[in-house]
Amino acid sequence: MSELKVKIGLECHCQMTSLKTKLFCRCPADYRGKPPNTNVCPTCLGLPGSLPYLNRRAVEEAIKVALALNCKINRRMVFYRKNYFYPDLSKNFQISQYDYPLAVDGYVTINVGGVDKVVRIKRIHIEEDPGRIVYKGSIESSPYTLVDYNRMGVALLEVVTEPDMETPSEAKAFLQELRSILEHLEVSDGSLEGSMRCDANISIEGGSRVEIKNITSFKEVERALSYEIIRQRNLLRRGVQVKRETRHWDEVRRVTVALRAKEEEMDYRYFPEPDLVPIEITDEMIERIKAQLPELPAARRVRLVKQYGLTEYEARVLTSDKHLADFFEKLALIHGNPKVDCNLVINELLRLLNEKNIGVRDLKFTPLEVSELLRMVDDGTISWKSAKYVLRRMVETGEHPRMIVETEGIRRIAKVEEIEKYVDMVFERCREDVEEALKDPKVIHRLVGEVLKETKMLADPKITFQVVSKRIEKLKTIRKWGEVPP
């Protein structure tokens, strides 16, 4: 059963967060944090007599994305009414696109476990976002349903893939690459809550296709698909046919639950939106936008490897988040040691960000302050171990690294005279170890460890070893000759 092939296709809904207004009216596109149902007008609510008018900038932003995803752009684009009844859609239809989408036949290359794979893009189209349904607790246990229409009418870009992915990891990698591309284009900010949502279509050889709706994070996509693969395999193993249906991913219980039978295209009764004329996209418009495209993640990875001597893995981790890559490049420019800078950003800063569940842009300090931290390591003011601690405190408090070092007294001890005082204390306390060290040089390391503990790891290990070794040699000489030779 485990060898049955899995097919995964994704429908990614990406808000164009760079726009100031909604897709078909002048309501602000920034709805987050607003009181419910206050960011609306007759047009986005679909009240009788209101007429939509297309946000031209949305079309230009969508063309940017289509070019970056290697798509063919249709010269004629038509909007349709997609009819269905759902509480988050007050007018009972969504203005979307059907047989004349913005673009078709593109591709994205992803990398999973060091292996490149091409995922084909079936189509890209523009549509309006519905409102937002809020449940108290889970969808099954909530005693009531709340609807907020502030989001309704926000411009969405729907990116539909072919079913080319075979594992949840590949689906996650595709979404990460798509988010990075959108961020580099500055079309969508993937860090904003709900700005990227995903419907996943999944089927196992011999079974029907199941759609999982509205998954809101990369981690949840992986979890939902993993759960659904196990569920479908168990059904097939018992000889039960998998139903063609739409399911909801319950993040609380981490299960998928049946919502409804899967709709067919005919169920939506598509027909051309009578209040919007077909849009003609000219070659001049495409060429102008193409000339303005910024450096994209794939090209940036190649440059990072060449310019800074990074590994492909390091470049891939950095470019998975545009803001992380920006942070690294600014740090490398200021501090000037790209390998060390990359190590700090990937292994320490990124780990702290994941642990705190925050993004790079939430940091209360800049690359300039991190370069100050690294300079203190370079000039021996603090150890690398202390630098990791200071970085954690910077993430937590936003304080300047030099202030943290001074107030917490974690400056590295490098003066021989100061280290000798601690050596005196340890030699007095650990007399048996000293006796052993006089016979076995390996025990010197134990004494060094005791000195480091006594200084709370602030003493320089190399200098401490030299001081302890010299003291043992001196004791040996005294034991042998009764005095230290001149």
Side-chain angles (χ1 to χ4, degrees):
M1 187 65 66
S2 59
E3 67 277 4
L4 292 178
K5 192 171 182 181
V6 176
K7 288 185 177 180
I8 299 171
L10 299 176
E11 297 174 12
C12 310
H13 299 86
C14 313
Q15 288 181 348
M16 296 187 219
T17 55
S18 58
L19 300 179
K20 292 182 179 175
T21 57
K22 294 183 178 179
L23 185 56
F24 298 117
C25 66
R26 290 183 178 170
C27 287
D30 180 14
Y31 63 89
R32 293 176 177 81
K34 304 289 191 302
N37 300 311
T38 58
N39 199 38
V40 292
C41 72
T43 300
C44 57
L45 287 175
L47 299 185
S50 62
L51 291 174
Y53 44 94
L54 179 61
N55 185 332
R56 178 187 173 90
R57 177 82 188 282
V59 178
E60 295 175 341
E61 296 287 80
I63 291 174
K64 269 193 205 175
V65 177
L67 290 170
L69 300 185
N70 308 292
C71 290
K72 296 174 186 171
I73 296 171
N74 289 324
R75 297 300 189 269
R76 182 181 172 84
M77 188 176 73
V78 179
F79 284 98
Y80 279 71
R81 288 189 180 184
K82 181 181 179 182
N83 296 276
Y84 64 95
F85 174 75
Y86 209 60
D88 60 1
L89 203 60
S90 61
K91 53 190 178 186
N92 290 345
F93 65 85
Q94 178 187 29
I95 301 179
S96 181
Q97 294 183 316
Y98 183 46
D99 49 2
Y100 294 96
L102 172 79
V104 295
D105 298 338
Y107 67 89
V108 170
T109 302
I110 61 173
N111 184 284
V112 179
V115 178
D116 284 344
K117 178 170 185 170
V118 172
V119 176
R120 292 170 295 159
I121 304 295
K122 185 177 182 181
R123 57 185 279 148
I124 298 177
H125 65 253
I126 305 170
E127 63 185 22
E128 59 182 344
D129 210 349
R132 182 166 166 262
I133 295 179
V134 181
Y135 299 104
K136 182 181 180 183
S138 74
I139 190 172
E140 289 186 317
S141 63
S142 179
Y144 50 79
T145 301
L146 299 171
V147 184
D148 179 5
Y149 290 113
N150 280 348
R151 193 178 72 182
M152 191 163 166
V154 167
L156 277 186
L157 202 60
E158 181 166 340
V159 179
V160 183
T161 76
E162 298 287 357
D164 290 341
M165 290 155 279
E166 297 172 275
T167 65
S169 298
E170 289 182 0
K172 182 181 176 185
F174 172 82
L175 290 171
Q176 286 176 325
E177 184 68 12
L178 177 62
R179 186 181 76 168
S180 182
I181 291 170
L182 294 175
E183 286 181 344
H184 278 78
L185 292 170
E186 298 185 347
V187 169
S188 183
D189 183 347
S191 67
L192 294 175
E193 183 187 1
S195 63
M196 275 188 76
R197 307 189 300 277
C198 173
D199 299 342
N201 290 291
I202 178 169
S203 63
I204 294 181
E205 191 177 356
S208 299
R209 179 160 56 93
V210 171
E211 182 182 33
I212 311 173
K213 296 289 285 183
N214 287 333
I215 315 171
T216 56
S217 74
F218 301 154
K219 190 183 294 181
E220 296 303 325
V221 166
E222 211 169 13
R223 284 175 177 162
L225 288 171
S226 297
Y227 174 86
E228 191 58 23
I229 288 171
I230 293 172
R231 188 189 73 85
Q232 292 187 24
R233 278 187 172 148
N234 286 339
L235 287 175
L236 294 172
R237 189 177 289 116
R238 298 201 303 269
V240 179
Q241 187 63 30
V242 176
K243 290 182 186 173
R244 184 178 169 86
E245 62 182 352
T246 298
R247 298 181 71 85
H248 166 76
W249 172 240
D250 187 331
E251 293 184 9
V252 178
R253 295 187 298 156
R254 295 188 179 172
V255 296
T256 62
V257 293
L259 277 181
R260 55 183 181 267
K262 181 84 176 82
E263 292 93 343
E264 303 291 343
E265 284 185 352
M266 66 182 73
D267 295 326
Y268 292 119
R269 292 170 290 117
Y270 281 98
F271 67 85
E273 166 60 56
D275 295 328
L276 289 168
V277 297
I279 309 298
E280 301 294 335
I281 298 175
T282 64
D283 289 342
E284 182 276 332
M285 187 178 185
I286 294 172
E287 291 304 317
R288 175 173 55 79
I289 294 171
K290 188 184 289 184
Q292 297 170 355
L293 287 180
E295 183 184 44
L296 295 173
R300 193 174 193 180
R301 282 193 283 272
V302 173
R303 181 175 61 77
L304 290 177
V305 170
K306 186 176 180 183
Q307 182 174 344
Y308 299 106
L310 307 184
T311 65
E312 286 190 17
Y313 169 77
E314 290 169 336
R316 191 168 291 282
V317 172
L318 289 172
T319 54
S320 65
D321 182 333
K322 176 183 182 295
H323 307 294
L324 188 71
D326 290 346
F327 193 97
F328 159 74
E329 290 217 68
K330 288 175 186 171
L331 177 60
L333 181 66
I334 299 168
H335 181 238
N337 192 337
K339 290 300 285 183
V340 172
D341 303 332
C342 178
N343 181 30
L344 184 84
V345 170
I346 287 181
N347 296 322
E348 302 304 327
L349 182 58
L350 191 55
R351 181 176 57 77
L352 289 169
L353 293 174
N354 291 334
E355 182 183 311
K356 306 285 182 188
N357 196 26
I358 59 175
V360 180
R361 289 187 301 169
D362 298 321
L363 293 174
K364 300 170 187 171
F365 54 85
T366 66
L368 176 63
E369 288 157 304
V370 177
S371 73
E372 291 277 319
L373 172 67
L374 289 171
R375 286 206 174 91
M376 285 193 282
V377 177
D378 294 341
D379 64 20
T381 303
I382 60 173
S383 65
W384 184 247
K385 182 181 175 70
S386 297
K388 293 178 186 177
Y389 171 76
V390 174
L391 185 65
R392 174 178 285 277
R393 295 290 296 149
M394 290 170 68
V395 171
E396 291 170 349
T397 66
E399 289 180 351
H400 194 281
R402 291 192 181 278
M403 181 178 292
I404 295 171
V405 170
E406 293 303 327
T407 55
E408 304 213 12
I410 53 176
R411 185 180 288 276
R412 187 179 70 112
I413 302 172
K415 289 184 178 177
V416 173
E417 298 79 9
E418 194 170 353
I419 291 176
E420 282 179 331
K421 293 178 185 173
Y422 290 102
V423 171
D424 290 341
M425 294 165 61
V426 168
F427 272 50
E428 180 64 27
R429 177 164 54 82
C430 306
R431 292 185 178 180
E432 290 184 5
D433 290 338
V434 173
E435 291 300 324
E436 283 187 50
L438 289 169
K439 302 169 188 170
D440 181 2
K442 292 179 183 174
V443 183
I444 291 176
H445 294 286
R446 195 188 302 165
L447 291 168
V448 170
E450 290 297 322
V451 176
L452 294 180
K453 275 189 205 171
E454 199 68 44
T455 62
K456 298 179 181 175
M457 308 305 287
L458 296 179
D460 184 293
K462 189 175 177 181
I463 298 174
T464 303
F465 180 80
Q466 291 169 350
V467 172
V468 173
S469 298
K470 192 174 177 182
R471 182 72 61 87
I472 290 295
E473 287 303 316
K474 183 177 176 182
L475 281 174
K476 281 183 183 176
T477 304
I478 292 172
R479 294 280 176 89
K480 185 174 181 179
W481 303 102
E483 60 179 1
V484 182

